[in-house]
């Protein structure tokens, strides 16, 4: 099959951050205070799943002055994200209920981060928002020491929590998830979970378990969810996925059998699609109206790479 023309490659959501994280400044309180007070400083305001943005003539702007952000709603946590050039970037965790109430304000957009990514926001804003969301969500869920149960304290501008009781240090975690496209010659395996939008099919995915390599996790998940045994697994690319704090690890996997057994606990359905047929999903011309995830999601890119390159994804 000739390489189909799917147009210019879209940007993968939440990637290509312009921030330099400057980890060495996280303990420099005088620097951080000066940075937050600087007029160029920008602060992202997030309450639970919701991001607060200002309405401007040029569209939604997610950056507030530090005091402005803090005045939106009660603040649970403030974290230092890094520098955009010379300008500091911070994130504040607003009280989730008070953030919902901000939806009534005419001057603000209050919307979840998935929708923002689907609707489009410049990568220089979207990637730091993902960093802020994942880090603040970690704080919200890790207020107590996992070792002794005592309340923990924030340190290093939000990049650590310390237990005053047993002295154990806790660091922000990222949960690895494998997301893979199993390929059998001219066919790829897509699945549908009940929570998906109607007619949307995607790659299979699942958390990497302790003691597993990425390749082993990709093989296990494909076997568990669809009964397909895979041999070679080739890493493609990855994507931060701040819901709440995952890292999606995209792969292509070579299937060695074709008879599907769907795990109905995990999936509504799974089936093979030819490369020609899959190409039609990118242009909205699939005869059954089947679509794939939007360009902001790594699944879109994993599937697209195979439609464009075929077996070349393994080279
Ligand atoms: Zn402790």
């Amino acid at each position: 099959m000739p390489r189909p023309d799917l147009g210019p490659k879209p940007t993968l959501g939440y990637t290509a951050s312009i921030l330099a994280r400057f980890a060495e400044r996280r303990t420099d309180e005088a620097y951080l205070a000066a940075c937050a007070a600087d007029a160029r400083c920008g602060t992202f305001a997030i309450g639970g799943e919701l991001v607060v943005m200002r309405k401007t003539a040029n569209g939604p702007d997610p950056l507030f002055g530090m005091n402005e952000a803090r005045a939106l709603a009660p603040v649970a946590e403030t974290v230092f994200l890094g520098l955009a050039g010379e300008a500091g970037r911070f994130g504040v965790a607003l009280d989730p209920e008070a953030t919902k109430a901000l939806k009534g304000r005419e001057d603000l957009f209050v919307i979840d981060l998935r929708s923002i990514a689907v609707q489009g926001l410049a990568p220089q804003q979207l990637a730091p928002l993902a960093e802020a969301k994942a880090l603040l969500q970690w704080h919200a869920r890790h207020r107590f020491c996992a070792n002794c149960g005592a309340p923990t304290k924030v340190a290093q501008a939000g990049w650590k929590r310390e237990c005053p009781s047993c002295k154990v240090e806790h660091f922000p975690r990222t949960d690895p998830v494998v997301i893979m496209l199993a390929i059998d010659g001219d066919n790829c395996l897509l699945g549908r979970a009940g929570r998906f939008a109607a007619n949307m099919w995607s790659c299979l995915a699942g958390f990497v378990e302790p003691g597993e390599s990425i390749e082993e996790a990709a093989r296990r998940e494909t076997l568990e969810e669809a009964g397909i045994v895979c041999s070679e697994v080739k890493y493609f690319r990855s994507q931060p996925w701040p819901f709440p704090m995952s890292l999606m690890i995209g792969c292509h996997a070579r299937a060695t059998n074709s008879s599907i057994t769907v795990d109905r606990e995990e999936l509504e359905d799974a089936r093979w699609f030819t490369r020609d047929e899959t190409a039609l999903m990118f242009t909205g011309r699939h005869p059954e109206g089947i679509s794939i995830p939007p360009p902001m999601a790594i699944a879109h890119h994993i599937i697209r790479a195979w439609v464009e390159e075929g077996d070349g994804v393994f080279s």
Side-chain angles (χ1 to χ4, degrees):
M1 169 179 159
R3 184 187 175 96
D5 180 11
L6 301 180
K9 272 205 170 64
T11 308
L12 178 57
Y14 313 125
T15 64
S17 182
I18 58 159
L19 294 198
R21 296 195 178 202
F22 277 91
E24 68 274 21
R25 293 291 203 179
R26 289 172 185 166
T27 49
D28 188 341
E29 286 179 17
Y31 170 81
L32 293 171
C35 189
D38 190 295
R40 294 168 296 182
C41 167
T43 300
F44 298 100
I46 300 176
E49 292 301 312
L50 297 172
V51 175
V52 183
M53 297 191 287
R54 190 205 319 267
K55 285 184 187 168
T56 76
N58 300 322
D61 180 357
L63 288 173
F64 294 86
M66 178 63 83
N67 291 336
E68 244 179 333
R70 294 184 144 272
L72 288 166
V75 170
E77 238 46 276
T78 302
V79 296
F80 174 64
L81 303 171
L83 293 180
E86 301 279 295
R89 290 287 180 268
F90 292 81
V92 293
L94 304 177
D95 176 78
E97 287 306 313
T99 306
K100 280 181 200 161
L102 294 175
K103 283 184 173 180
R105 269 181 53 176
E106 296 261 307
D107 57 332
L108 301 173
F109 284 112
V110 181
I111 184 172
D112 70 280
L113 188 53
R114 267 195 193 85
S115 302
I116 293 172
V118 170
Q119 289 166 17
L121 187 71
Q124 66 264 30
Q125 312 287 38
L126 195 56
L129 262 176
E131 178 187 347
K133 167 117 179 357
L135 183 56
L136 292 170
Q137 202 102 62
W138 175 75
H139 284 290
R141 293 179 177 208
H142 295 82
R143 315 194 69 77
F144 296 90
C145 177
N147 188 47
C148 77
T152 52
K153 290 204 166 88
V154 180
Q156 290 186 2
W159 292 90
K160 185 162 90 169
R161 294 187 78 95
E162 292 170 339
C163 178
S165 174
C166 74
K167 309 298 177 200
V168 165
E169 299 175 322
H170 302 277
F171 294 93
R173 55 184 267 191
T174 294
D175 299 324
V177 173
V178 281
I179 174 162
M180 56 276 154
L181 185 68
I183 295 156
D184 178 20
D186 192 45
N187 294 285
C188 76
L189 179 71
L190 299 180
R192 244 199 75 73
R195 64 180 186 280
F196 286 7
N199 277 336
M200 196 186 85
W201 292 61
S202 186
C203 299
L204 305 188
F207 286 103
V208 179
E209 293 188 345
E212 256 182 343
S213 66
I214 289 167
E215 292 84 352
E216 287 163 346
R219 288 190 200 104
R220 176 184 51 75
E221 283 289 340
T222 309
L223 181 62
E224 284 176 1
E225 295 192 358
I228 298 300
V229 177
C230 292
S231 53
E232 185 183 358
V233 174
K234 182 93 177 175
Y235 169 75
F236 171 60
R237 61 188 295 195
S238 63
Q239 178 183 34
W241 192 251
F243 308 102
M245 51 200 116
S246 292
L247 175 69
M248 308 300 283
I249 303 167
C251 299
H252 296 98
R254 217 185 268 286
T256 63
N257 65 320
S258 56
S259 177
I260 296 171
T261 308
V262 178
D263 174 1
R264 301 282 170 190
E265 297 276 304
E266 295 283 336
L267 295 177
E268 200 173 88
D269 204 0
R271 59 186 253 210
W272 296 104
F273 293 89
T274 66
R275 208 169 142 207
D276 280 330
E277 190 185 4
T278 309
L280 297 176
M281 298 176 195
F282 284 83
T283 47
R285 292 182 294 130
H286 189 275
E288 292 168 59
I290 288 178
S291 66
I292 52 161
M296 62 78 105
I298 193 169
H300 184 100
H301 298 254
I302 297 170
I303 299 167
R304 176 176 169 142
W306 174 70
V307 167
E308 290 183 331
E309 297 165 34
D311 215 53
V313 295
F314 291 106
S315 59

